Amino acid sequence: MMQQLELRDDLVQPFQIDPFQLRGRLVRLGPLIDEILTRHAYPAPVAQLLGEAIALAAALARALKYDGVFTLQTKGDGPIRLMVADITTAGGVRGYAQVDDEKLARVLAAAASSGQPVGDSVPRLLGAGYLAFTCDQGEHTDRYQGIVELQGATLAECVHHYFRQSEQVEAGLKVAVARLPDRHGLPRWRAGALMIERLPAAESAARREAEDEGWRRAVILMSSTTSGELVDPLLAPAALLFRLFHEDGVRAYRPRPLVARCRCSRERVETMLRILAPQELEEMKVDGKVLVTCQFCSAVYSFDESEIAALARH
Ligand SMILES: [Zn+2]
């Protein structure tokens, strides 16, 4: 008998493999990623890459305590100028991309004529630029930031490069985004990510050797996961972990739910507008109103003449 309804989508499943001295996180995104990517209606290659960024952010946001926000951001000179994905301690996830439509059209046309699809190519979609991680835990704690150049064919490779370069942590990463038909045959975005990370090594040489061996084995097993398995709606995350690592004593912890949630509010928009000079506010007016659209969730905040005047008085 089933003890409880198994949570399959929109979650992070932490796990640990003690004999290998490693921990990991498996991310599975269903309705959450479909809501975010469908709302923005980006061209498919952009949606694909933003989906990867969001799944990777969810897999990496392990260090958060208190009321923190973990942000993954890319900036480049390619068609996707900017990508932001962030996740809160409470599991609220959001993301958006800024696209140069002309550049994207050129890249897609070149890909079509060469017969080589763009896929999730970082060099073609993001170009040269950087990848940044920010861990913000409120005003009373340090804001941590790490930045590396975009180096790698895929976003997962770029993140891997960051770990080697900046954190000197051995890590393995895999990410997948796909659009699959749901029960009614409608196409829905899905995403998944698997991350393993090596914990500080044992002191004894013999133990260390066993851990090296274990790490190599874990990387091979992780690499054997297919993209299909990472996004499969019928394969529960715990079942996937068991399939991969059951011989090695994997311990799966309680999965943490994730939800698509924006943190924008009228108050935040007001705070932002108050910083502007009166003439700047004046220039933003269209038909006597200032309209501010949230880039993450497309919510529109409208301010009329009297509200703008009130803002300017502060
Ligand atoms: Zn918003």
Side-chain angles (χ1 to χ4, degrees):
M1 197 184 88
M2 218 154 130
Q3 292 295 315
Q4 62 183 73
L5 197 65
E6 203 160 16
L7 199 56
R8 286 171 185 245
D9 272 338
D10 296 346
L11 60 88
V12 185
Q13 168 84 66
F15 62 93
Q16 193 145 345
I17 306 176
D18 291 329
F20 295 172
Q21 270 291 98
L22 71 85
R23 65 180 167 194
R25 291 160 71 89
L26 177 62
V27 174
R28 179 60 79 60
L29 306 176
L32 178 162
I33 200 72
D34 189 57
E35 183 184 334
I36 295 175
L37 298 180
T38 303
R39 185 198 298 134
H40 288 294
Y42 295 124
V46 178
Q48 168 86 29
L49 212 55
L50 181 62
E52 290 185 11
I54 291 170
L56 285 169
L60 296 171
R62 65 184 144 74
L64 283 182
K65 294 169 204 150
Y66 320 112
D67 288 326
V69 183
F70 177 85
T71 308
L72 183 159
Q73 186 176 322
T74 67
K75 216 166 188 172
D77 62 4
I80 305 178
R81 285 190 297 250
L82 180 75
M83 263 197 318
V84 185
D86 71 24
I87 169 165
T88 66
T89 314
V93 177
R94 59 182 195 168
Y96 77 93
Q98 268 178 17
V99 183
D100 182 323
D101 294 323
E102 265 176 45
K103 269 191 191 168
L104 182 64
R106 275 203 301 274
V107 166
L108 294 181
S113 68
S114 71
Q116 289 180 316
V118 172
D120 57 354
S121 163
V122 164
R124 289 206 259 178
L125 291 170
L126 299 180
Y130 68 81
L131 170 73
F133 299 98
T134 317
C135 205
D136 199 336
Q137 308 203 104
E139 46 191 305
H140 304 297
T141 49
D142 284 338
R143 192 163 177 268
Y144 165 81
Q145 191 168 40
I147 297 182
V148 283
E149 268 178 56
L150 285 170
Q151 224 171 82
T154 64
L155 210 51
E157 282 180 27
C158 294
V159 173
H160 194 241
H161 171 68
Y162 166 81
F163 274 100
R164 267 201 318 261
Q165 179 109 343
S166 304
E167 305 229 322
Q168 275 142 19
V169 168
E170 282 190 82
L173 282 154
K174 199 140 183 183
V175 65
V177 175
R179 222 172 174 200
L180 301 175
D182 67 7
R183 277 179 299 153
H184 311 289
L186 295 168
R188 302 280 185 205
W189 287 103
R190 297 185 58 77
L194 178 59
M195 186 215 184
I196 54 172
E197 156 185 38
R198 209 169 159 174
L199 297 165
E203 299 210 341
S204 93
R207 184 89 192 93
R208 166 101 208 182
E209 206 170 299
E211 283 174 12
D212 284 347
E213 183 58 37
W215 175 253
R216 282 193 289 273
R217 180 173 153 77
V219 170
I220 292 168
L221 290 172
M222 188 204 73
S223 309
S224 74
T225 345
T226 63
S227 298
E229 284 175 318
L230 283 176
V231 299
D232 187 350
L234 301 176
L235 177 60
L240 174 55
L241 286 180
F242 186 74
R243 182 184 286 183
L244 288 171
F245 301 118
H246 70 98
E247 285 174 23
D248 309 295
V250 63
R251 279 197 291 151
Y253 296 106
R254 185 195 292 269
R256 270 176 267 161
L258 301 173
V259 64
R261 187 183 295 139
C262 194
R263 301 193 304 284
C264 67
S265 67
R266 195 170 175 87
E267 290 71 42
R268 280 175 189 240
V269 176
E270 283 176 4
T271 307
M272 191 187 79
L273 292 177
R274 270 189 207 111
I275 301 168
L276 302 176
Q279 66 267 32
E280 284 179 294
L281 278 173
E282 199 58 39
E283 282 161 19
M284 285 172 75
K285 271 188 207 170
V286 177
D287 296 330
K289 276 184 183 167
V290 168
L291 297 178
V292 178
T293 306
C294 174
Q295 286 183 293
F296 282 100
C297 72
S298 310
V300 179
Y301 297 92
S302 168
F303 298 84
D304 64 21
E305 292 279 7
S306 66
E307 287 163 331
I308 297 163
L311 284 173
R313 275 198 298 275
H314 277 81

